[in-house]
């Protein structure tokens, strides 16, 4: 018979008992012995904060429920696990916990993207831990690999599919030719999309995650406000089909990369070659593709959401923090020593696909090509399809400064031979 693990008892306060919180509570109970053996302490649930005490609950210990989240967070637990979501009250909860000397584990990307620097400073001041692996890409181990496993390397670029809802929508638009609204309604019915999908389809959820990843990858303070964001609401079935005809899929990518003079962090719909590893990430799955100087390319793949997968990442942090408390240490705090300038989207280096409706007469192709050349944008390929007096030109550029590409597009719109700029999308991973 295995020996019952000995060691101290650590009190865990759970603020939020919803989709993720209820699974954390279940796994803490069901795997108590193993978690004790791994962390060197018995993890005892001290309380669970919820908003509505009257709701029917399955799996949560009813005797431990409270509706006073801040009081529970200040009750002196060893570890406070914040899984309530939102920013204002969650901020109050995490600040109260850190000030009381509790270590904090959270899955709250919006909170960390907005207040990460302040909360890390508070954790350092009080000699406690702040961990949030579940805040980016759910179950996928990403933040620990970035801050520990790759700590000896120099990361140059991170490309991620970090929002399952939009990846599900784009996958179905691409594979079935279904319209955005129709797929969104299905995603809501299946529970992949929230009743209010703005944060997902508008790209804001991905932007918060991009800010967190960029900060860790480049040792620089980055907030969601530093991230250039474009969502997928204006993507049509025709755009996705046109990309498909050229051997590309459309993905909402979060991109953080070195550019001349600093770093640039952006979220936007992107054409990715069908042969790129990110192109095979379908439906609600997430994946993050990291390029580092010595390691080369590394990819992380898995479930970016869901109660149980997310609870896995939360519990990983809980075990890490418990081990630290048992040995009387804290983990490394946020490092922002590099302080790289975070530059606007104009400084990003990217390629474009442009679909132009032009007059079908001699000399037009040369005129269009000269507008690209004037802005130092070189053309990677052109396809022309004629239809009466109008022709469609599909131009793919090499990588260039985004500001130069935008200036080219502005000139194309003014050109007398261009009737319309009918399609425009950035291309990544084709170089
Ligand atoms: N769900 C996912 O797949 C996923 C993935 C990655 C990260 N996350 C993050 O994890 C966090 C939790 O998400 P979730 O999906 O579990 O949310 P959820 O299902 O809405 O659960 C939120 C919980 O917090 C409680 N709560 C909300 N406001 C409260 C307040 N003012 N006082 C006390 N309790 C309060 C709710 O109480 P009631 O039960 O009474 O409503 C509920 O138990 C969020 O930050 C989210 O972004 C979620």
């Amino acid at each position: 018979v295995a020996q019952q693990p000995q060691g101290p008892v650590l009190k865990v306060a759970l603020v939020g008992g919803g989709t993720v919180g209820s699974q954390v509570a279940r796994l803490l109970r069901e795997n108590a012995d193993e978690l004790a053996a791994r962390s060197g302490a018995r993890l005892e649930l001290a309380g669970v904060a919820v908003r509505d005490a009257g709701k029917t609950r399955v799996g949560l210990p009813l005797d431990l429920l409270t509706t006073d989240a801040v009081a529970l967070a200040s009750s002196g637990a060893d570890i406070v696990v914040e899984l309530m979501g939102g920013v204002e009250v969650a901020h109050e909860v995490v600040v109260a916990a850190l000030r009381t000397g509790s270590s904090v584990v959270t899955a709250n990307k919006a909170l960390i993207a907005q207040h990460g620097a302040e909360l890390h400073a508070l954790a350092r001041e009080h000699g406690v831990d702040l961990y949030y692996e579940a805040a980016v890409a759910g179950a996928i181990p990403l933040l620990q690999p970035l801050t520990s496993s790759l700590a000896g390397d120099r990361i140059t670029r991170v490309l991620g599919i970090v929002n399952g809802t939009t990846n599900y929508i784009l996958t179905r638009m691409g594979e079935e030719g279904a319209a955005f609204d129709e797929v969104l309604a299905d995603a809501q019915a299946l529970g992949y999309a929230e009743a209010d999908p703005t944060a997902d389809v508008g790209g804001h959820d991905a932007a918060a995650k991009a800010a967190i990843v960029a900060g860790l990858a480049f040792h620089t303070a980055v907030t969601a406000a530093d991230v250039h964001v474009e969502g997928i609401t204006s993507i049509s079935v025709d755009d996705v089909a046109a990309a498909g005809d050229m051997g590309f899929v459309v993905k909402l990518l979060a991109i953080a990369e070195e550019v001349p003079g600093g770093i640039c962090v952006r979220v936007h719909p992107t054409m990715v070659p069908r042969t790129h590893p990110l192109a095979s990430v379908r439906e609600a799955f997430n994946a993050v593709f990291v390029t580092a100087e010595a390691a080369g390319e590394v990819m992380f793949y898995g479930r970016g959401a869901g109660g149980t997968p997310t609870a896995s990442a939360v519990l990983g942090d809980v075990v890490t923090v418990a081990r630290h408390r048992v040995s009387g240490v804290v983990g490394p705090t946020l490092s922002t020593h590099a302080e790289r300038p975070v530059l606007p989207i104009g400084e990003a280096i990217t390629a474009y696909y442009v679909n132009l409706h032009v007059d079908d007469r001699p000399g037009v192709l040369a005129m269009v090509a000269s507008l690209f050349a004037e802005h130092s944008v070189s053309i990677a390929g052109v396809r022309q399809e004629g239809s009466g007096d109008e022709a469609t030109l599909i131009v793919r550029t090499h990588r260039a400064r985004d500001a130069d590409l935008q200036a080219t597009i502005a000139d194309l719109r003014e050109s007398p031979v261009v009737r319309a700029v009918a399609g425009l999308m950035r291309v990544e991973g084709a170089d």
Side-chain angles (χ1 to χ4, degrees):
V1 178
Q3 193 76 30
Q4 266 294 328
Q6 295 301 311
V9 172
L10 296 183
K11 288 199 182 305
V12 178
L14 196 52
V15 180
T19 307
V20 184
S22 62
Q23 294 307 312
V24 170
R26 176 178 71 79
L27 293 168
L28 273 174
R29 187 180 63 244
E30 290 179 3
N31 301 337
D33 288 346
E34 274 194 59
L35 290 170
R38 286 178 204 170
S39 53
R42 288 207 78 81
L43 303 173
E44 185 183 289
L45 196 56
V48 183
V50 293
R51 188 170 19 207
D52 176 3
K55 224 189 235 179
T56 311
R57 313 262 171 192
V58 183
L60 284 183
L62 299 183
D63 52 323
L64 294 180
L65 290 191
T66 168
T67 52
D68 194 339
V70 177
L72 177 63
S74 328
S75 65
D78 294 280
I79 305 169
V80 170
V81 181
E82 185 277 307
L83 296 169
M84 67 190 299
V87 174
E88 253 171 62
V89 186
H91 179 256
E92 210 183 318
V93 160
V94 171
V95 166
L98 296 171
R99 288 214 169 115
T100 313
S102 306
S103 287
V104 170
V105 172
T106 174
N108 193 329
K109 65 226 102 176
L111 174 69
I112 297 297
Q114 201 173 324
H115 297 292
E118 174 215 338
L119 297 175
H120 271 288
L122 205 54
R124 198 177 311 129
E125 185 190 329
H126 292 274
V128 294
D129 278 325
L130 170 63
Y131 277 73
Y132 40 88
E133 181 64 69
V136 184
I140 307 173
L142 177 68
L143 306 189
Q144 282 276 21
L146 284 180
T147 51
S148 300
S149 324
L150 288 166
D153 208 333
R154 200 161 167 279
I155 294 168
T156 54
R157 191 164 201 233
V158 183
L159 287 183
I161 295 171
V162 292
N163 181 273
T165 307
T166 47
N167 203 52
Y168 174 82
I169 293 173
L170 290 172
T171 302
R172 288 203 45 204
M173 286 174 76
E175 293 178 6
E176 297 164 30
F180 174 84
D181 292 337
E182 186 190 321
V183 187
L184 175 60
D186 279 358
Q188 284 169 322
L190 286 166
Y192 287 149
E194 306 277 335
D196 177 2
T198 321
D200 290 323
V201 298
H204 307 290
D205 172 84
K209 295 165 178 169
I212 295 172
V213 166
L216 297 176
F218 297 110
H219 308 280
T220 292
V222 181
T223 69
D226 297 318
V227 183
H228 172 87
V229 192
E230 295 169 33
I232 66 162
T233 46
S234 60
I235 299 293
S236 68
V237 182
D238 290 346
D239 291 327
V240 178
D245 288 344
M246 289 182 284
F248 288 80
V249 295
V250 176
K251 296 290 185 191
L252 183 71
L253 290 193
I255 303 169
E257 65 186 344
E258 281 188 330
V259 295
I263 61 169
C264 183
V265 194
R266 51 197 167 109
V267 169
H268 52 68
T270 314
M271 280 171 40
V272 177
R274 206 174 271 135
T275 49
H276 192 280
L278 285 176
S280 61
V281 178
R282 296 174 61 255
E283 303 200 323
F285 278 87
N286 282 195
V288 181
F289 191 79
V290 179
T291 309
E293 222 167 56
E297 289 164 343
V298 182
M299 181 149 134
F300 303 88
Y301 171 86
R303 291 189 191 279
T308 314
T310 307
S312 163
V314 169
L315 283 167
D317 280 351
V318 168
V319 169
T320 300
V321 171
R323 286 173 177 158
H324 291 169
R325 284 188 93 90
V326 169
S327 20
V329 297
V330 287
T333 181
L334 188 66
S335 94
T336 53
H337 64 86
E339 290 180 23
R340 317 268 298 263
V342 187
L343 301 175
I345 179 79
E347 299 307 316
I349 306 294
T350 183
Y352 270 40
Y353 137 86
V354 191
N355 181 328
L356 300 169
H357 291 179
V358 297
D359 293 347
D360 193 6
R361 56 183 168 83
V364 166
L365 185 57
M367 283 176 76
V368 166
S370 74
L371 287 179
F372 282 87
E374 272 171 31
H375 294 283
S376 313
V377 176
S378 99
I379 292 175
V382 182
R383 206 175 75 202
Q384 180 166 5
E385 288 158 14
S387 53
D389 68 336
E390 189 176 274
T392 298
L393 279 186
I394 294 169
V395 182
R396 227 173 33 79
T397 76
H398 283 299
R399 281 161 73 78
R401 260 179 88 233
D402 199 86
D404 294 335
L405 289 156
Q406 291 287 357
T408 310
I409 301 302
D411 281 1
L412 286 167
R413 288 203 163 104
E414 296 295 311
S415 165
V417 298
V418 176
R419 297 188 182 179
V421 177
L424 182 64
M425 207 180 296
R426 295 189 184 87
V427 180
E428 294 291 338
D431 41 302

